[in-house]
Amino acid sequence: MNNIRRYVCIALSALALMTSCGSASDDEGRLSVSSRTAADNSVIEAPADTSALPASAESLTETETTTETTTTTTTTTTTTASTTTETEPVPELPASDDVYLTLVNKTHMLPGDFFNVLSLTTMQNYEGNTFWVEEETLAHFQELKEDMAAVGLDCEIISAYRSIASQQEIWDEYEALYGLWYCNAYVAVPGYSEHHTGLAIDARLIRNGTVLYYMADGQTNGLEDFAAFHSRLAEHGFILRYPQGKDGITGYSYEPWHIRYVGVENAKKISASGLTLEEYLGEAEQ
């Protein structure tokens, strides 16, 4: 009970300060893709065995562990590490909604029954790190990867699905290192990270063995290559999730590496409109 109170207090503080801290640079607390190492990835990767896969809404709550799995969906939702309380139940997916358009951001929590609808699968990147990715998302990413290879770019996954428990570890790590203010500004509250869906991918672009980077201050060694990458996203079902100049809507600064699978037809419509996912769904904060 003390731990639950602590998580709720942290999360309430986070939501109270988010608007005053401005936009985040990265929802896992790291300011550039180029700064991520294999050691960083080990913090956020999903476990190597399928026992840790979320099998129901229950396994996405605070009681989630990496050694047990739940195969029965319960009707009782326990308190998560986010701002959910007894009067704020974990949301559920409306039956009529396109699950690939599910919105998870600073004000929209991961639906509790999300993984009753979609399934995750594993893949290994060029560094040998294993990641969980939603099945259809991974299939389309592989096609995107082949497309980029045709123009001389290697496109690799360096972050994908992240459990609520893993997000809590990241929160705790950065709160201990830099304080609560840093978490409020740069780290997603557990339960509110798009990486929980398995539909979001942080991609690393590599040309001739050189990792392309984009720093928080705008420095980059791959402006044209990032543009080429973005121009091919929609035809494979992805959108650039946090575009330039939209941080007031998405809550995050420009992230040229963070892509989100929404399905091919949806991606083409969203990209052609120039809207963010929030705007497209009519969920942009006024």
Side-chain angles (χ1 to χ4, degrees), residues 34-77:
S34 62
S35 66
R36 295 182 183 142
T37 64
D40 292 325
N41 289 338
S42 67
V43 177
I44 60 176
E45 288 171 19
D49 62 277
T50 55
S51 64
L53 275 174
S56 68
E58 183 180 24
S59 66
L60 290 174
T61 65
E62 184 187 28
T63 57
E64 178 186 3
T65 67
T66 58
T67 57
E68 297 179 350
T69 185
T70 302
T71 57
T72 302
T73 302
T74 65
T75 56
T76 301
T77 303

Side-chain angles (χ1 to χ4, degrees), residues 3 5 33 39 49 51 95 130 135 171 186 192 210 241 252 264 270 273 279 281:
N3 287 335
R5 290 175 178 169
V33 166
D49 62 277
S51 64
T130 300
E135 290 181 340
W171 181 285
Y186 296 113
Y192 291 80
T210 298
R241 186 63 180 88
Y252 294 102
V264 174
I270 294 172
S273 71
E279 293 171 308
L281 296 175

